[in-house]
Amino acid sequence: MDAIDMHKPYDTTDKDWWRGAVIYQIYPRSFQDSNGDGIGDLIGISQRMGYIASLGVDAIWISPFFTSPMKDFGYDVSDYCDVDPMFGTLADFDVVVEAAHQHGLKVMIDLVLSHTSDQHPWFQESKSGRTNPKSDWYVWSDPKPDGTPPNNWLSIFGGPAWQWDAGREQYYLHNFLVEQPDLNFHNDDVQDAILATTRFWLDRGVDGFRLDTINFYYADKELRDNPALPPERRNANIAPSVNPYNHQEHLYSKNQPENIGFLKRFRALLDEYPASSCVGEVGDAQRGLELLGQYTSGPEMVHMCYAFEFLAKTKLDATRVAQVFEELDRVAKDGWPCWAFSNHDVQRHASRWDLTPQAQRLFATMIMCLRGSVCMYQGEELGLPEADVAFEDLQDPYGIAFWPEFKGRDGCRTPMVWEPSNQNGGFSDGFPWLPVSHDHLNRSVKAQEEEPSAILHHYRRAIAFRKEYPALVKGDHGGVFAHGDVLEFTREYQGQTLFCAFNLSDTPSLHGMPAGDWVTIGHELGGATPSPDYKLHLGPWQACLALKQE
Ligand code: BGC
Ligand code: MG
């Protein structure tokens, strides 16, 4: 299946490999089905490893493939140490790791530690009574005297964050679905059990983790009410604007100070293994970057945090990027962000920001030049737009709950398209769990491989460009500035200085180059060259990339 074979060595000597890495996110249900059941699987992933390596990325992040009732498509885990049969077996996972390592790729898996499935044996035991050894493993509370839930917390997926359990005659907390009860991290036995499952995967050879909802691990011990958030401070970055979750300031239901202690324990475990790394997903509409700073500063905390800033609905412009970096410098100076434009939770950015092909390319070039690591989502390299999924085909409970004002996450989760000839785009011989988008077929990998001007090649070039200049991978930046629609910054590392400018608009723009002697680079990315008098003419959606001559 895999024509491209690239062998770069798998290297565990560079403990810092994650800094500036490009990580390819695989949503396993939709990547490649190998057994015709219409659902992507681990063997499918291993069959496509050569393609992934050909992009030039450093690592893969595989969304959850653990045993799960699939109420939230794997983000509801019922056994942390096994593979769901629909995705394969532990032996298949070993094949994935081996294939990845053969191609020099690191493997990061997605640990969903904040909550389990309600079918997890831990929860089954916990709910069986108030005095069993696991009775305190989840967040249980008596009702208020009037029978209502203990506080006003809301679930992101709609409705109250509390579900009544008739057996215990108590409520339990669920920040997400009713079927995703939250673990009680105040209990050390819970932490120990979680760390033991983490060790299981490290021993199996994984190189790192994406940590789901890392700032939700702890809830306030006293279960205090969250205050209301004034409308002017609401921000629909995390939840769609029609979701009342945005009406609260989540002071007590997440972001608890105790989390720092657990994250240190987590990091200490990772440090026992060579070159392991993790990226924590920090979902917070108000304090995301501040938490990123807290969680990633210094060698005792997690390596990186996955930021929501560039996943926003509002189209990214130069001012916003500059603002984000200015805030990051203020609240997370020594922290390390991981950026993404698209993932399995948001509308694909080609559609979300209504981007022309030219704009998509410039954004790709830009993200590869920013300080931070990068996660790209399967199909992003093909420039895929959001798929239109009919209500009858919807799978995501979030979308079903908020339809049609918010259509959920199925439109970014439809199967990857490998070839145009097969009606399922080469994804599956069976009936796919979500329909393959017809709009996607002519953008398949095979079609783009044969078309030199396709965006897929641009992504490869942009990644290769980043890799060529250590300043882009690991360097600092000398301030990120917006001049109208043009974003400008320098990156520096060990005597190498790069200048990067991006015209994020349809209008040509004229600028001066910074002082110094510069030679333009990155012509393969369509970059502009300044005139001999150092005037920089940037066409619409054009970059200028230059290297300082010492
Ligand atoms: C994941 C979602 C998931 C949620 C609950 C996240 O942020 O990315 O897909 O529904 O956590 O686990
Ligand atoms: Mg399958």
Side-chain angles (χ1 to χ4, degrees), residues 419-455:
E419 51 183 87
S421 52
N422 171 316
Q423 66 160 356
N424 291 326
F427 163 68
S428 173
D429 295 335
F431 187 75
W433 76 286
L434 273 176
V436 174
S437 163
H438 284 290
D439 292 348
H440 288 182
L441 287 176
N442 60 356
R443 296 170 205 255
S444 68
V445 171
K446 185 156 187 285
Q448 297 204 26
E449 292 289 12
E450 290 161 4
E451 172 51 60
S453 67
I455 189 166

Side-chain angles (χ1 to χ4, degrees), residues 181-199:
D182 272 69
L183 281 163
N184 176 19
F185 275 68
H186 293 288
N187 184 323
D188 286 342
D189 294 343
V190 169
Q191 294 190 21
D192 293 346
I194 284 296
L195 293 173
T197 64
T198 307
R199 190 183 288 284

Side-chain angles (χ1 to χ4, degrees), residues 110-376:
D110 202 330
L111 292 184
V112 190
L113 307 179
S114 193
H115 43 262
T116 67
S117 157
D118 62 347
Q119 298 308 306
H120 196 293
W122 297 347
F123 187 70
Q124 291 297 314
E125 185 176 339
S126 190
K127 72 178 250 175
S128 71
R130 295 190 188 199
T131 54
N132 66 72
K134 294 198 174 51
S135 57
D136 186 39
W137 277 40
Y138 291 81
V139 185
W140 291 99
S141 172
D142 289 330
K144 282 185 180 165
D146 65 1
T148 56
N151 63 28
N152 67 353
W153 298 354
L154 294 172
S155 149
I156 296 194
F157 289 158
W162 295 97
Q163 177 68 14
W164 181 249
D165 181 79
R168 280 183 61 144
E169 291 189 51
Q170 279 186 314
Y171 284 101
Y172 68 84
L173 176 69
H174 61 93
N175 274 295
F176 294 87
L177 294 175
V178 166
E179 296 89 350
Q180 291 168 302
D182 272 69
L183 281 163
N184 176 19
F185 275 68
H186 293 288
N187 184 323
D188 286 342
D189 294 343
V190 169
Q191 294 190 21
D192 293 346
I194 284 296
L195 293 173
T197 64
T198 307
R199 190 183 288 284
F200 171 87
W201 292 105
L202 286 163
D203 288 339
R204 218 161 178 111
V206 307
D207 305 284
F209 304 99
R210 181 260 190 187
L211 297 174
D212 190 65
T213 60
I214 192 178
N215 55 323
F216 286 73
Y217 289 170
Y218 284 82
D220 176 40
K221 253 189 166 154
E222 296 169 43
L223 304 180
R224 283 168 280 191
D225 272 350
N226 282 329
L229 192 67
E232 65 278 8
R233 287 190 56 218
R234 286 180 200 160
N235 171 348
N237 263 4
I238 308 303
S241 56
V242 291
N243 190 339
Y245 189 79
N246 294 320
H247 298 201
Q248 286 188 3
E249 178 152 22
H250 304 279
L251 263 193
Y252 298 114
S253 47
K254 58 183 185 181
N255 308 343
Q256 297 307 291
E258 294 92 333
N259 204 21
I260 303 288
F262 175 73
L263 297 183
K264 285 186 177 164
R265 288 193 72 190
F266 192 85
R267 173 65 186 257
L269 169 61
L270 262 56
D271 284 346
E272 289 180 34
Y273 291 79
S276 58
S277 179
C278 66
V279 50
E281 180 204 28
V282 180
D284 193 87
Q286 281 75 36
R287 297 178 49 207
L289 294 177
E290 179 195 328
L291 292 163
L292 185 153
Q294 280 179 23
Y295 291 0
T296 63
S297 298
E300 294 188 313
M301 298 298 292
V302 299
H303 304 78
M304 330 172 238
C305 276
Y306 185 87
F308 276 60
E309 271 59 31
F310 300 159
L311 296 167
K313 180 97 186 148
T314 315
K315 186 170 175 180
L316 201 57
D317 60 16
T319 310
R320 178 66 186 142
V321 180
Q323 233 176 36
V324 167
F325 276 89
E326 188 268 323
E327 189 183 340
L328 206 58
D329 282 349
R330 208 159 19 85
V331 298
K333 186 73 190 139
D334 304 318
W336 195 263
C338 185
W339 304 116
F341 293 146
S342 283
N343 66 24
H344 65 297
D345 289 332
V346 296
Q347 203 184 3
R348 287 183 178 273
H349 71 281
S351 302
R352 192 170 83 238
W353 297 336
D354 195 17
L355 301 179
T356 60
Q358 221 184 351
Q360 283 181 47
R361 282 160 203 250
L362 189 76
F363 274 115
T365 310
M366 185 191 87
I367 203 168
M368 295 304 165
C369 293
L370 294 178
R371 176 180 179 273
S373 302
V374 178
C375 281
M376 48 186 286

Side-chain angles (χ1 to χ4, degrees), residues 28-29 32-44 85-88 427-428:
R29 290 184 81 86
Q32 176 67 62
D33 176 22
S34 72
N35 62 355
D37 66 354
I39 298 172
D41 41 54
L42 292 175
I43 291 301
M86 81 172 47
F87 293 129
F427 163 68
S428 173

